[in-house]
Amino acid sequence: MSGPLERLVGRGRATVPEVLEARAQRTPDAPFLRWEDRRWTYAEGLHEIRRFSGWAQASAPGDGAERRIASFLPNRAETMWTWLGSLASGAVYVPLNSTHRGEILEDMLRRSGADLLVTDLSGLESLPALDGTSVTTVLLVDDRAPTEPPRGVRVATWSEVEAAAPAPAAAMAPSDPAIVMYTSGTTGRSKAVLMSHNQLCRGAGAVTHSLQICPEDVIHAWLPLYHVAGQVDSVLCTVIGGGEVDLLPTFSRSRFWQQVAASGATIFVGFSNVLEILWAMPPSAADADCSLRVGMIGAVPPTLHRGFEERFGVRLCDVYGMTEAEPLALPEPGVEAPTGSCGRANPDFEVVVLDDADQVLPAGAVGEIAARPRVPDVMFIRYEDDEPATLDACRTLWFHTGDLGRIDEDGFVYFVDRRKHAIRRRGENVSSWELESIIARHPAVDECCAVGIPSPLGDDDVKLVIAPKAEQSVEPAELRTWCEGRMAKFMLPRYIDVVDALPRNAAGKLQKEELRVRSASTWDAEAQAVGR
């Protein structure tokens, strides 16, 4: 009889703890995780996960309600044990983007409903006041006590976890909620996407099958573990295939090839900007002499695809998906997808292109990409506390991605553009609505608008257009400094224009396209930095 590992690359169902325990039983001594100078086998990793689970279960409030555990952590080994241990304890895990600051972070933490928050000392010091949240315990992953502990909250240290008795996984079903992830709001507040265990496992199984991940593989895993790509497309797919995860804090241009050589990585993941950065490096005779065999990249630039493969000897696989449904399209083993396509639809989904009336368009026509599941529990459960957004996204029984694309006669899916006003910078989605909400609080700002401008490194650079209040002025450099500490670094505007009024049409609708053009008066933060 096949186990959960085989079922997940077939048509089966599973929970995340079931997958972890099956892998540890199958290959207990195989390498699982590498972090800096430490390595864990699958058996050792499962012990760490069970130990966190035991501590978490012992610290639970005990009221019988569904528990939430939030984290505010960058990539590190303890982040892995917190994520997987939280799921093993039966809790719903809420990973918060560790670069967020200010009111966005405060709002997400308050909405999480978590009684336990896991962070490090620097994270604790950058957190807003915990008043108004449900947090009763803060667990610090570094054993350093804060100089000023938050009032009314118990502060625990990782030594307590290390002393805890390991516990078996709590009882749960594949359909049970597992994760809440906050997506970037494109036209409004960030959405809290509730996902099931089976969605995570089935998505990872599809990636394992597509990339043919096996025990000999090592994945260069730098994507943040608070993103679905970090969890599904880096870690869980590798666990299913039996490979090793080389966990890194972030992408490093200067150390990328050194890191690949040190770990013997065979797979790397990322977005188009990673390819642009690596391609821009001076060519070397040793470019193709590396251990990498495949790169899984979102939105591979068609002009770069084949040239990159030839130069570095690496097969590139373009994939398409999102937090609500990951992946929706990906390459098939042994089938060469046309340049510019994301492969064919994941067999778990029916994927189509719709017109503005939600009618299915013929092959080759550009419209909104939409999908619906062919099997249960492979798509998000709902947007928490936002029934209107859930119903709107799933209107006419199709999940509307908000992205434009086309599907050719052979079923290959092509991403064309984002339909909504999202900005993607360095692999992160920036909510123009949230950014504008922060800028609007500046005392001299009357109106503002944030747009994306294509960057030479791929993705976008953030441009901010400001209309000051009457008889007041705004200096771009001063505004940029004001932004620091109020938002994540990836949200900080590179370009700033100060205008008398924002352009609008006769109906009063803001004309964002007019604002995407850089003029001679546009202030550039990077140019200022070079000039210093």
Side-chain angles (χ1 to χ4, degrees), residues 110-161:
R110 186 172 57 251
R111 292 160 63 191
S112 74
D115 68 276
L116 170 61
L117 172 64
V118 186
T119 186
D120 54 18
L121 189 57
S122 63
L124 179 62
E125 292 173 346
S126 65
L127 281 169
L130 298 177
D131 300 342
T133 74
S134 52
V135 174
T136 58
T137 302
V138 171
L139 172 63
L140 295 178
V141 298
D142 38 14
D143 287 315
R144 295 183 296 155
T147 54
E148 295 185 17
R151 295 189 304 272
V153 175
R154 175 180 175 250
V155 177
T157 59
W158 198 257
S159 59
E160 295 185 26
V161 176

Side-chain angles (χ1 to χ4, degrees), residues 298-351:
V300 177
T303 56
L304 197 61
H305 194 145
R306 300 308 177 197
F308 191 98
E309 290 181 326
E310 292 175 6
R311 174 178 167 182
F312 295 105
V314 178
R315 175 179 170 237
L316 295 181
C317 293
D318 199 339
V319 296
Y320 173 72
M322 57 205 61
T323 307
E324 294 89 338
E326 173 72 16
L328 281 175
L330 68 176
E332 302 161 278
V335 177
E336 185 170 320
T339 301
S341 85
C342 315
R344 292 191 176 101
N346 178 347
D348 283 348
F349 294 92
E350 181 181 1
V351 179

Side-chain angles (χ1 to χ4, degrees), residues 14-249:
T15 67
V16 173
E18 183 182 14
V19 169
L20 294 166
E21 296 194 11
R23 172 49 62 194
Q25 291 172 8
R26 178 77 61 84
T27 55
D29 299 324
F32 166 39
L33 179 67
R34 176 197 298 255
W35 169 254
E36 296 181 339
D37 296 329
R38 292 201 61 187
R39 298 180 77 175
W40 290 262
T41 65
Y42 275 98
E44 291 167 340
L46 183 60
H47 178 76
E48 299 281 359
I49 293 163
R50 286 176 168 174
R51 195 162 58 177
F52 183 93
S53 175
W55 180 86
Q57 292 184 57
S59 68
D63 57 8
E66 177 188 84
R67 191 187 192 186
R68 300 293 179 91
I69 298 176
S71 72
F72 184 59
L73 289 166
N75 280 3
R76 55 187 296 168
E78 292 85 358
T79 309
M80 185 81 79
W81 314 139
T82 298
W83 160 36
L84 300 175
S86 295
L87 297 187
S89 75
V92 173
Y93 181 61
V94 188
L96 303 174
N97 187 322
S98 65
T99 63
H100 272 312
R101 296 292 185 271
E103 62 189 66
I104 296 176
L105 176 60
E106 182 179 6
D107 179 58
M108 291 177 174
L109 184 56
R110 186 172 57 251
R111 292 160 63 191
S112 74
D115 68 276
L116 170 61
L117 172 64
V118 186
T119 186
D120 54 18
L121 189 57
S122 63
L124 179 62
E125 292 173 346
S126 65
L127 281 169
L130 298 177
D131 300 342
T133 74
S134 52
V135 174
T136 58
T137 302
V138 171
L139 172 63
L140 295 178
V141 298
D142 38 14
D143 287 315
R144 295 183 296 155
T147 54
E148 295 185 17
R151 295 189 304 272
V153 175
R154 175 180 175 250
V155 177
T157 59
W158 198 257
S159 59
E160 295 185 26
V161 176
E162 293 177 328
M172 64 195 78
S175 58
D176 285 346
I179 300 281
V180 171
M181 280 190 184
Y182 292 100
T183 66
S184 173
T186 54
T187 57
R189 190 187 195 191
S190 292
K191 297 181 178 67
V193 182
L194 182 63
M195 297 177 282
S196 69
H197 281 268
N198 195 64
Q199 178 186 346
L200 299 172
C201 294
R202 289 292 303 160
V207 174
T208 304
H209 177 67
S210 176
L211 302 188
Q212 296 290 278
I213 300 175
C214 66
E216 288 71 39
D217 279 315
V218 178
I219 191 162
H220 183 272
W222 65 270
L223 288 171
L225 293 178
Y226 49 73
H227 278 186
V228 69
Q231 293 190 8
V232 170
D233 303 329
S234 294
V235 176
L236 291 179
C237 62
T238 306
V239 171
I240 294 171
E244 181 180 12
V245 177
D246 182 27
L247 186 65
L248 299 154

Side-chain angles (χ1 to χ4, degrees), residues 164-475:
M172 64 195 78
S175 58
D176 285 346
I179 300 281
V180 171
M181 280 190 184
Y182 292 100
T183 66
S184 173
T186 54
T187 57
R189 190 187 195 191
S190 292
K191 297 181 178 67
V193 182
L194 182 63
M195 297 177 282
S196 69
H197 281 268
N198 195 64
Q199 178 186 346
L200 299 172
C201 294
R202 289 292 303 160
V207 174
T208 304
H209 177 67
S210 176
L211 302 188
Q212 296 290 278
I213 300 175
C214 66
E216 288 71 39
D217 279 315
V218 178
I219 191 162
H220 183 272
W222 65 270
L223 288 171
L225 293 178
Y226 49 73
H227 278 186
V228 69
Q231 293 190 8
V232 170
D233 303 329
S234 294
V235 176
L236 291 179
C237 62
T238 306
V239 171
I240 294 171
E244 181 180 12
V245 177
D246 182 27
L247 186 65
L248 299 154
T250 187
F251 174 78
S252 171
R253 175 189 181 277
S254 61
R255 297 192 300 274
F256 178 83
W257 292 112
Q258 179 184 348
Q259 292 166 341
V260 166
S263 67
T266 58
I267 302 171
F268 76 106
V269 292
F271 302 99
S272 60
N273 63 311
V274 169
L275 298 185
E276 299 279 3
I277 290 169
L278 296 177
W279 181 260
M281 297 174 70
S284 166
D287 280 348
D289 186 21
C290 71
S291 55
L292 292 175
R293 70 173 181 86
V294 63
M296 185 171 65
I297 305 295
V300 177
T303 56
L304 197 61
H305 194 145
R306 300 308 177 197
F308 191 98
E309 290 181 326
E310 292 175 6
R311 174 178 167 182
F312 295 105
V314 178
R315 175 179 170 237
L316 295 181
C317 293
D318 199 339
V319 296
Y320 173 72
M322 57 205 61
T323 307
E324 294 89 338
E326 173 72 16
L328 281 175
L330 68 176
E332 302 161 278
V335 177
E336 185 170 320
T339 301
S341 85
C342 315
R344 292 191 176 101
N346 178 347
D348 283 348
F349 294 92
E350 181 181 1
V351 179
V352 297
V353 172
L354 303 177
D355 64 15
D356 290 341
D358 282 347
Q359 298 298 306
V360 177
L361 289 167
V366 173
E368 183 174 9
I369 301 173
R372 57 189 176 198
R374 296 183 184 273
V375 293
D377 304 315
V378 293
M379 200 167 71
F380 78 120
I381 299 171
R382 63 179 179 273
Y383 295 123
E384 282 206 317
D385 302 320
D386 200 343
E387 182 178 348
T390 305
L391 294 174
D392 181 64
C394 299
R395 63 189 182 276
T396 64
L397 302 182
W398 288 103
F399 170 64
H400 293 65
T401 66
D403 293 327
L404 297 175
R406 60 184 176 88
I407 301 176
D408 68 18
E409 293 181 351
D410 296 317
F412 290 100
V413 179
Y414 297 78
F415 169 81
V416 174
D417 199 0
R418 290 180 293 277
R419 186 166 193 162
K420 300 177 183 178
H421 295 302
I423 305 167
R424 190 165 186 84
R425 185 172 187 272
R426 307 296 190 266
E428 297 277 357
N429 288 322
V430 177
S431 166
S432 59
W433 182 87
E434 288 179 330
L435 178 54
E436 290 161 4
S437 296
I438 295 172
I439 302 301
R441 286 166 171 75
H442 188 285
V445 171
D446 183 29
E447 287 188 301
C448 62
C449 179
V451 295
I453 294 180
S455 167
L457 296 178
D459 289 345
D460 302 314
D461 281 317
V462 179
K463 180 184 176 185
L464 197 62
V465 184
I466 300 293
K469 292 179 180 177
E471 300 181 359
Q472 295 198 43
S473 62
V474 176
E475 292 296 328

